[in-house]
Amino acid sequence: MGLGTQSPLSLLPKDRTPDHLPIPGMAVLTAAQDVANLIRYPHRTPNTGPSHHLRTYRVAIFAALPLALSLVLFWIITHGQASLVLAWDILPQSYLFLLVLFFVVPVQRVSRTGRYWFLSTLKRVSIGGIAEAQDGKFGDILLADVLTSYAKVLGDLFVSGCMFFASKYSSTAKPDRGCGGAYMVPIIISIPSIIRLRQCLIEFSRVRNGNKQLGGSISSGWGGQHLANAFKYSSAFPVIILSALQRGYDPSKIGMSETGLFRLWLLFVFLNSFYSFYWDVAKDWDLTLFSSAEERNDTDHPWGLRKHRHFHHENIYYAAIIIDLMLRCTWSLKLSPHLDHWNDLEGTIFVMEILEVARRWMWIFFRVETEWVRGNRGPVPEDIVLGEYNDRTRD
């Protein structure tokens, strides 16, 4: 996340900064945007050594090397034999231990400051906390949103750990998602959404308190956008609950047919998927696709986009919109218990998890680009991140 420390555009006069840059690829986003400053990453004194993005790559390599070694060793030892695969489940679990250890060991040369800053942010975010705008709120939002994409992964990690410590299981056997109780996995899957829900409510409370301190003025908005964002995350809970009910379906307790329960689940899946897609496009990326016809067709920008953009080719934005819609709908099935009836179950779930991680990776590029545009061109009305901070800096 900490990628680059100096924006070349900062060398240009404010009135000469281009609306967009002639850059075809997303990878160069960090060359023109001070991501470290956007997330309020601590500045280095003196500012020597590798840049933030090189340090990030180095940390990623150090974290991935034990995984690669563990996989190779596992394949060499087991030779694909089922009995050995079940017997050597300690190897995959040992990597999880090494990964945790990697983030806490006090080794200065492996970005100790960055690792500890990440753990500090994760600690605050894990209980639904969120920093003030000037203290790194944008970084908290990014991390919490990333956790929502890892909801199913967290549930699977719990299942794997539960099976490892249970004497009758092997963690490399076919996953028993009932391990630990029928409702433990749904509860764990819901935690990231609970975190973001609490953050949205905190933001709403801050806006209300700020308005009271200003004598009831609502010039900066009444906080409705935070409530609408909170509704987006709360819309995942009916999907999770209905999924759990379908897994342990008992008509005598539920009072609804299995078909009716599935249709109700499907209704909430569509609600969560399309509302989240709308929010990605209209709120997180500030595109005009869902705005009024006048704003959407404005000749100052390509149809459905916005005037100020970092990426030169509008097709990049259109491709992102289409991919986000497709993967939003596909990934909604991650919460469904009847994935168990799919052919090649574990392979299907793994592919879906990879696709969601890829979607979130893409989303972050455009979310950071939007935040940079807001910072250089001014936030949209009632902006989630920059609105209150910009008001304070003008006082």
Side-chain angles (χ1 to χ4, degrees):
M1 301 271 290
L3 308 177
T5 58
Q6 177 79 22
S7 170
L9 298 184
S10 63
L11 302 177
L12 296 176
K14 290 286 186 180
D15 58 348
R16 295 186 60 188
T17 305
D19 290 342
H20 57 267
L21 299 179
I23 300 175
M26 287 197 298
V28 295
L29 170 64
T30 56
Q33 295 180 348
D34 189 352
V35 181
N37 186 54
L38 284 176
I39 64 175
R40 301 296 183 263
Y41 187 80
H43 293 286
R44 291 173 296 176
T45 306
N47 190 12
T48 57
S51 61
H52 286 304
H53 73 278
L54 290 178
R55 289 171 178 263
T56 302
Y57 295 148
R58 186 167 63 185
V59 168
I61 291 173
F62 273 100
L65 279 177
L67 174 61
L69 293 175
S70 177
L71 282 172
V72 172
L73 185 60
F74 186 77
W75 290 333
I76 292 175
I77 293 177
T78 61
H79 296 291
Q81 297 181 24
S83 59
L84 292 177
V85 168
L86 297 177
W88 282 90
D89 62 341
I90 183 65
L91 278 179
Q93 298 297 329
S94 64
Y95 171 71
L96 297 177
F97 171 76
L98 291 175
L99 183 62
V100 173
L101 188 64
F102 169 76
F103 275 96
V104 299
V105 291
V107 179
Q108 181 66 43
R109 292 184 60 84
V110 192
S111 302
R112 184 179 65 178
T113 301
R115 288 183 287 118
Y116 285 6
W117 180 82
F118 169 77
L119 292 176
S120 175
T121 303
L122 182 62
K123 179 181 178 181
R124 179 173 60 250
V125 167
S126 64
I127 58 174
I130 183 169
E132 294 284 354
Q134 69 273 19
D135 297 325
K137 178 167 67 174
F138 183 54
D140 288 4
I141 291 174
L142 287 181
L143 180 57
D145 273 326
V146 166
L147 290 178
T148 64
S149 292
Y150 278 82
K152 183 63 172 65
V153 176
L154 294 175
D156 286 348
L157 284 176
F158 169 80
V159 170
S160 177
C162 176
M163 294 177 65
F164 178 74
F165 289 106
S167 57
K168 62 177 181 178
Y169 292 114
S170 169
S171 63
T172 49
K174 182 178 179 180
D176 178 6
R177 290 181 170 79
C179 186
Y183 297 103
M184 278 303 300
V185 172
I187 289 173
I188 291 173
I189 289 176
S190 67
I191 288 176
S193 294
I194 294 174
I195 289 173
R196 282 298 285 129
L197 173 62
R198 184 170 186 266
Q199 288 182 333
C200 293
L201 295 179
I202 290 174
E203 283 300 284
F204 173 73
S205 177
R206 286 176 180 175
V207 172
R208 302 292 288 180
N209 293 335
N211 288 337
K212 289 180 181 179
Q213 293 175 4
L214 295 174
S217 170
I218 58 172
S219 59
S220 62
W222 64 278
Q225 182 153 301
H226 298 301
L227 287 183
N229 201 21
F231 174 75
K232 181 188 75 172
Y233 293 104
S234 63
S235 67
F237 301 143
V239 180
I240 298 172
I241 294 172
L242 292 170
S243 295
L245 292 177
Q246 289 180 89
R247 178 179 291 276
Y249 177 73
D250 185 348
S252 62
K253 296 181 180 180
I254 298 176
M256 180 182 293
S257 68
E258 190 170 9
T259 301
L261 195 62
F262 172 73
R263 289 174 178 172
L264 187 60
W265 170 84
L266 196 60
L267 171 65
F268 282 106
V269 163
F270 276 102
L271 174 64
N272 175 259
S273 298
F274 286 103
Y275 189 37
S276 298
F277 168 67
Y278 159 79
W279 199 273
D280 288 342
V281 174
K283 303 299 182 181
D284 290 338
W285 298 345
D286 288 351
L287 303 180
T288 61
L289 182 65
F290 298 109
S291 302
S292 64
E294 180 181 1
E295 189 175 0
R296 185 169 55 250
N297 297 316
D298 195 324
T299 57
D300 284 343
H301 57 73
W303 184 86
L305 303 185
R306 47 178 150 80
K307 180 179 179 181
H308 305 301
R309 304 180 311 281
H310 176 81
F311 304 119
H312 177 63
H313 296 294
E314 59 267 23
N315 288 339
I316 292 178
Y317 294 87
Y318 293 135
I321 292 172
I322 294 172
I323 292 172
D324 190 70
L325 174 61
M326 293 174 60
L327 296 186
R328 273 292 186 185
C329 295
T330 301
W331 182 246
S332 296
L333 298 175
K334 70 184 183 294
L335 304 173
S336 172
H338 41 271
L339 283 177
D340 293 335
H341 302 299
W342 285 27
N343 293 326
D344 193 21
L345 167 67
E346 297 307 321
T348 302
I349 291 181
F350 176 74
V351 169
M352 291 174 65
E353 291 175 348
I354 291 295
L355 288 175
E356 170 58 11
V357 171
R359 188 199 68 80
R360 182 61 65 180
W361 171 83
M362 178 193 72
W363 176 91
I364 287 176
F365 273 100
F366 288 92
R367 183 65 184 88
V368 170
E369 183 255 7
T370 302
E371 198 66 20
W372 180 85
V373 169
R374 292 174 182 175
N376 286 269
R377 296 292 186 175
V380 297
E382 202 180 10
D383 174 63
I384 292 180
V385 179
L386 289 177
E388 63 177 280
Y389 179 54
N390 285 358
D391 288 340
R392 290 179 184 176
T393 56
R394 286 194 292 266
D395 292 341

